[in-house]
Amino acid sequence: MFDVIIAGGSYAGMAAALQLVRARRKVAIVDAGQRRNRFASASHGLLGQDGRAPGAIFEDAKAQLLKYPDLHWMNGSVVAASREQGGFAVRTAQGETLAGKRLVLATGVQDHLPDVPGLRERWGRSVHHCPYCHGYELEQGALGVLAVGELSMHQALLLPEWGPTTFFLNGAFEPNPDQLRQLAARGVGIERTAVAAVSGEGERACVELADGRCIALAGLFVGSMISVQGGLAEQLGCAFADSPLGAVIGTDAAKETSVPGVFACGDAARAMASVSFAIADGAMAGIAAHRSLAFEGLH
Ligand code: FAD
Ligand code: MG
């Protein structure tokens, strides 16, 4: 029996594990190896690691973790999780069953992009969602926001901080007079012609409009809708919390879900996503899971 089983071994899951193995707890991590930022060549905004390749940050962290003998790492996917006597049981796609006293869900989210030809292939190269992560490198060049709905207003109003911005409405959203005034105040240009495709080589994006024009950009931003990966929170009966981008697993401030003994952290359990936040979230979940073990039966 492990003290804690962690589903998802990326930034959040590893940060939880680090606190737990340093408290000499037996931890199993099961990781499917599909980090959300795997499409990007550089990760920005993480103190001390700014500009490094996401995979390099991951490999360093994993190597440090594997030095702790109480860590058991498994490559694989958790497909089932249930409450059992004294804790939880999980089953992997590879057919293994593990038992743990506590469970941490750190499975991240999947991005759902609008169905525009050429967009998905450029995700993480010339199509971005987070200006704090990728805005600086665009050198204050021409930027675009592709509307997916009213939530794109926020991106359109924020983006002029990083460069002159055009808002491609693409029939997904029409600003009301108040919103038009806000966009004008921020100097945002509005393009109502439908977007036919996104093209462009390397780190440059080109928005191809239905009337044949092609708008060259240093970067195109799009708000992706998200869904939590793994389906484990549903199986366990954890409550979800709404966010403008989609539901995430609900937790208290210590990252415990509505199901006692089940913790959730990282993108799966917070709407505002970054590697820094995922690491902080994971550390909190790891410490909270540890305390719930240490203080069991005292109350
Ligand atoms: P993830 O990193 O997504 O990891 C989840 C892990 O769980 C994956 O390994 C996955 O395979 C695994 N998993 C899923 N389901 C299961 C299961 N059932 N069983 C076992 N394992 C499972 N943030 C920044 O701070 N700076 C950046 O520059 C930056 N760039 C980005 C670029 C792109 C294109 C994208 C999409 C995001 C970027 N982000 C960036 C955001 C960042 O990637 C996320 O905030 C961060 O990866 C969240 O970490 P996490 O551990 O919660 O989830
Ligand atoms: Mg993780």
PDB file of all heavy atoms in Angstrom, residues 11 35 37-38 40-43 52-61:
ATOM      1  N   TYR A  11       4.441  18.884 -13.938  1.00  0.00           N
ATOM      2  CA  TYR A  11       4.892  19.880 -12.958  1.00  0.00           C
ATOM      3  C   TYR A  11       4.117  19.787 -11.635  1.00  0.00           C
ATOM      4  O   TYR A  11       4.719  19.754 -10.552  1.00  0.00           O
ATOM      5  CB  TYR A  11       4.775  21.289 -13.540  1.00  0.00           C
ATOM      6  CG  TYR A  11       5.375  21.376 -14.918  1.00  0.00           C
ATOM      7  CD1 TYR A  11       4.576  21.415 -16.053  1.00  0.00           C
ATOM      8  CD2 TYR A  11       6.765  21.357 -15.085  1.00  0.00           C
ATOM      9  CE1 TYR A  11       5.137  21.457 -17.322  1.00  0.00           C
ATOM     10  CE2 TYR A  11       7.333  21.396 -16.342  1.00  0.00           C
ATOM     11  CZ  TYR A  11       6.508  21.448 -17.464  1.00  0.00           C
ATOM     12  OH  TYR A  11       7.054  21.471 -18.715  1.00  0.00           O
ATOM     13  N   ARG A  35       2.495  16.232 -21.438  1.00  0.00           N
ATOM     14  CA  ARG A  35       2.407  17.552 -20.818  1.00  0.00           C
ATOM     15  C   ARG A  35       1.720  18.552 -21.749  1.00  0.00           C
ATOM     16  O   ARG A  35       1.923  18.524 -22.959  1.00  0.00           O
ATOM     17  CB  ARG A  35       3.808  18.078 -20.474  1.00  0.00           C
ATOM     18  CG  ARG A  35       4.503  17.315 -19.369  1.00  0.00           C
ATOM     19  CD  ARG A  35       5.865  17.931 -19.105  1.00  0.00           C
ATOM     20  NE  ARG A  35       6.640  18.041 -20.329  1.00  0.00           N
ATOM     21  CZ  ARG A  35       7.344  17.051 -20.869  1.00  0.00           C
ATOM     22  NH1 ARG A  35       7.377  15.875 -20.271  1.00  0.00           N
ATOM     23  NH2 ARG A  35       8.012  17.226 -21.980  1.00  0.00           N
ATOM     24  N   ASN A  37       2.269  21.629 -22.406  1.00  0.00           N
ATOM     25  CA  ASN A  37       3.117  22.532 -23.196  1.00  0.00           C
ATOM     26  C   ASN A  37       4.089  21.787 -24.107  1.00  0.00           C
ATOM     27  O   ASN A  37       5.074  22.345 -24.557  1.00  0.00           O
ATOM     28  CB  ASN A  37       3.884  23.476 -22.265  1.00  0.00           C
ATOM     29  CG  ASN A  37       4.777  22.716 -21.290  1.00  0.00           C
ATOM     30  OD1 ASN A  37       4.800  21.494 -21.287  1.00  0.00           O
ATOM     31  ND2 ASN A  37       5.512  23.447 -20.462  1.00  0.00           N
ATOM     32  N   ARG A  38       3.797  20.514 -24.405  1.00  0.00           N
ATOM     33  CA  ARG A  38       4.741  19.732 -25.221  1.00  0.00           C
ATOM     34  C   ARG A  38       4.872  20.286 -26.640  1.00  0.00           C
ATOM     35  O   ARG A  38       5.792  19.929 -27.363  1.00  0.00           O
ATOM     36  CB  ARG A  38       4.302  18.256 -25.271  1.00  0.00           C
ATOM     37  CG  ARG A  38       2.955  18.021 -25.927  1.00  0.00           C
ATOM     38  CD  ARG A  38       2.480  16.581 -25.696  1.00  0.00           C
ATOM     39  NE  ARG A  38       1.172  16.315 -26.272  1.00  0.00           N
ATOM     40  CZ  ARG A  38       0.020  16.640 -25.711  1.00  0.00           C
ATOM     41  NH1 ARG A  38       0.009  17.259 -24.534  1.00  0.00           N
ATOM     42  NH2 ARG A  38      -1.122  16.353 -26.287  1.00  0.00           N
ATOM     43  N   ALA A  40       5.430  23.442 -27.362  1.00  0.00           N
ATOM     44  CA  ALA A  40       6.274  24.649 -27.354  1.00  0.00           C
ATOM     45  C   ALA A  40       7.740  24.254 -27.209  1.00  0.00           C
ATOM     46  O   ALA A  40       8.074  23.288 -26.527  1.00  0.00           O
ATOM     47  CB  ALA A  40       5.861  25.555 -26.200  1.00  0.00           C
ATOM     48  N   SER A  41       8.626  25.022 -27.856  1.00  0.00           N
ATOM     49  CA  SER A  41      10.058  24.699 -27.776  1.00  0.00           C
ATOM     50  C   SER A  41      10.711  25.345 -26.556  1.00  0.00           C
ATOM     51  O   SER A  41      11.758  24.902 -26.111  1.00  0.00           O
ATOM     52  CB  SER A  41      10.762  25.145 -29.052  1.00  0.00           C
ATOM     53  OG  SER A  41      10.618  26.535 -29.206  1.00  0.00           O
ATOM     54  N   ALA A  42      10.082  26.398 -26.011  1.00  0.00           N
ATOM     55  CA  ALA A  42      10.646  27.060 -24.831  1.00  0.00           C
ATOM     56  C   ALA A  42       9.530  27.372 -23.849  1.00  0.00           C
ATOM     57  O   ALA A  42       8.408  27.675 -24.244  1.00  0.00           O
ATOM     58  CB  ALA A  42      11.362  28.340 -25.222  1.00  0.00           C
ATOM     59  N   SER A  43       9.865  27.294 -22.567  1.00  0.00           N
ATOM     60  CA  SER A  43       8.912  27.639 -21.516  1.00  0.00           C
ATOM     61  C   SER A  43       9.370  28.937 -20.860  1.00  0.00           C
ATOM     62  O   SER A  43      10.540  29.077 -20.522  1.00  0.00           O
ATOM     63  CB  SER A  43       8.867  26.508 -20.481  1.00  0.00           C
ATOM     64  OG  SER A  43       8.160  26.918 -19.334  1.00  0.00           O
ATOM     65  N   ARG A  52      13.931  27.900 -20.872  1.00  0.00           N
ATOM     66  CA  ARG A  52      14.397  26.522 -21.103  1.00  0.00           C
ATOM     67  C   ARG A  52      13.334  25.693 -21.818  1.00  0.00           C
ATOM     68  O   ARG A  52      12.140  25.994 -21.765  1.00  0.00           O
ATOM     69  CB  ARG A  52      14.736  25.845 -19.770  1.00  0.00           C
ATOM     70  CG  ARG A  52      16.021  26.338 -19.165  1.00  0.00           C
ATOM     71  CD  ARG A  52      16.414  25.456 -17.997  1.00  0.00           C
ATOM     72  NE  ARG A  52      17.052  24.217 -18.430  1.00  0.00           N
ATOM     73  CZ  ARG A  52      17.103  23.113 -17.690  1.00  0.00           C
ATOM     74  NH1 ARG A  52      16.525  23.080 -16.514  1.00  0.00           N
ATOM     75  NH2 ARG A  52      17.716  22.040 -18.131  1.00  0.00           N
ATOM     76  N   ALA A  53      13.762  24.617 -22.437  1.00  0.00           N
ATOM     77  CA  ALA A  53      12.814  23.703 -23.086  1.00  0.00           C
ATOM     78  C   ALA A  53      11.967  23.023 -22.014  1.00  0.00           C
ATOM     79  O   ALA A  53      12.502  22.601 -20.984  1.00  0.00           O
ATOM     80  CB  ALA A  53      13.574  22.663 -23.892  1.00  0.00           C
ATOM     81  N   PRO A  54      10.646  22.938 -22.238  1.00  0.00           N
ATOM     82  CA  PRO A  54       9.775  22.301 -21.247  1.00  0.00           C
ATOM     83  C   PRO A  54      10.257  20.898 -20.878  1.00  0.00           C
ATOM     84  O   PRO A  54      10.246  20.520 -19.703  1.00  0.00           O
ATOM     85  CB  PRO A  54       8.414  22.231 -21.947  1.00  0.00           C
ATOM     86  CG  PRO A  54       8.440  23.287 -22.984  1.00  0.00           C
ATOM     87  CD  PRO A  54       9.876  23.448 -23.400  1.00  0.00           C
ATOM     88  N   GLY A  55      10.706  20.145 -21.855  1.00  0.00           N
ATOM     89  CA  GLY A  55      11.169  18.776 -21.594  1.00  0.00           C
ATOM     90  C   GLY A  55      12.408  18.744 -20.713  1.00  0.00           C
ATOM     91  O   GLY A  55      12.584  17.821 -19.909  1.00  0.00           O
ATOM     92  N   ALA A  56      13.274  19.750 -20.835  1.00  0.00           N
ATOM     93  CA  ALA A  56      14.500  19.798 -20.025  1.00  0.00           C
ATOM     94  C   ALA A  56      14.151  20.087 -18.563  1.00  0.00           C
ATOM     95  O   ALA A  56      14.733  19.498 -17.645  1.00  0.00           O
ATOM     96  CB  ALA A  56      15.447  20.866 -20.567  1.00  0.00           C
ATOM     97  N   ILE A  57      13.197  20.983 -18.347  1.00  0.00           N
ATOM     98  CA  ILE A  57      12.747  21.276 -16.976  1.00  0.00           C
ATOM     99  C   ILE A  57      12.167  20.001 -16.357  1.00  0.00           C
ATOM    100  O   ILE A  57      12.483  19.625 -15.226  1.00  0.00           O
ATOM    101  CB  ILE A  57      11.695  22.412 -16.973  1.00  0.00           C
ATOM    102  CG1 ILE A  57      12.297  23.699 -17.550  1.00  0.00           C
ATOM    103  CG2 ILE A  57      11.132  22.640 -15.578  1.00  0.00           C
ATOM    104  CD1 ILE A  57      11.282  24.808 -17.784  1.00  0.00           C
ATOM    105  N   PHE A  58      11.346  19.318 -17.135  1.00  0.00           N
ATOM    106  CA  PHE A  58      10.720  18.064 -16.680  1.00  0.00           C
ATOM    107  C   PHE A  58      11.783  17.020 -16.342  1.00  0.00           C
ATOM    108  O   PHE A  58      11.729  16.403 -15.276  1.00  0.00           O
ATOM    109  CB  PHE A  58       9.776  17.560 -17.784  1.00  0.00           C
ATOM    110  CG  PHE A  58       9.273  16.163 -17.562  1.00  0.00           C
ATOM    111  CD1 PHE A  58       8.184  15.913 -16.728  1.00  0.00           C
ATOM    112  CD2 PHE A  58       9.890  15.082 -18.179  1.00  0.00           C
ATOM    113  CE1 PHE A  58       7.737  14.622 -16.513  1.00  0.00           C
ATOM    114  CE2 PHE A  58       9.435  13.790 -17.972  1.00  0.00           C
ATOM    115  CZ  PHE A  58       8.359  13.555 -17.136  1.00  0.00           C
ATOM    116  N   GLU A  59      12.760  16.830 -17.236  1.00  0.00           N
ATOM    117  CA  GLU A  59      13.767  15.773 -17.022  1.00  0.00           C
ATOM    118  C   GLU A  59      14.615  16.060 -15.786  1.00  0.00           C
ATOM    119  O   GLU A  59      14.949  15.142 -15.034  1.00  0.00           O
ATOM    120  CB  GLU A  59      14.663  15.617 -18.257  1.00  0.00           C
ATOM    121  CG  GLU A  59      13.972  14.996 -19.468  1.00  0.00           C
ATOM    122  CD  GLU A  59      13.421  13.588 -19.222  1.00  0.00           C
ATOM    123  OE1 GLU A  59      13.874  12.915 -18.280  1.00  0.00           O
ATOM    124  OE2 GLU A  59      12.514  13.177 -19.971  1.00  0.00           O
ATOM    125  N   ASP A  60      15.000  17.318 -15.574  1.00  0.00           N
ATOM    126  CA  ASP A  60      15.766  17.674 -14.370  1.00  0.00           C
ATOM    127  C   ASP A  60      14.967  17.370 -13.108  1.00  0.00           C
ATOM    128  O   ASP A  60      15.489  16.805 -12.142  1.00  0.00           O
ATOM    129  CB  ASP A  60      16.113  19.169 -14.368  1.00  0.00           C
ATOM    130  CG  ASP A  60      17.319  19.460 -15.244  1.00  0.00           C
ATOM    131  OD1 ASP A  60      17.886  18.502 -15.819  1.00  0.00           O
ATOM    132  OD2 ASP A  60      17.688  20.649 -15.339  1.00  0.00           O
ATOM    133  N   ALA A  61      13.705  17.782 -13.124  1.00  0.00           N
ATOM    134  CA  ALA A  61      12.859  17.570 -11.941  1.00  0.00           C
ATOM    135  C   ALA A  61      12.684  16.083 -11.671  1.00  0.00           C
ATOM    136  O   ALA A  61      12.782  15.623 -10.528  1.00  0.00           O
ATOM    137  CB  ALA A  61      11.496  18.239 -12.151  1.00  0.00           C
TER     138      ALA A  61
END
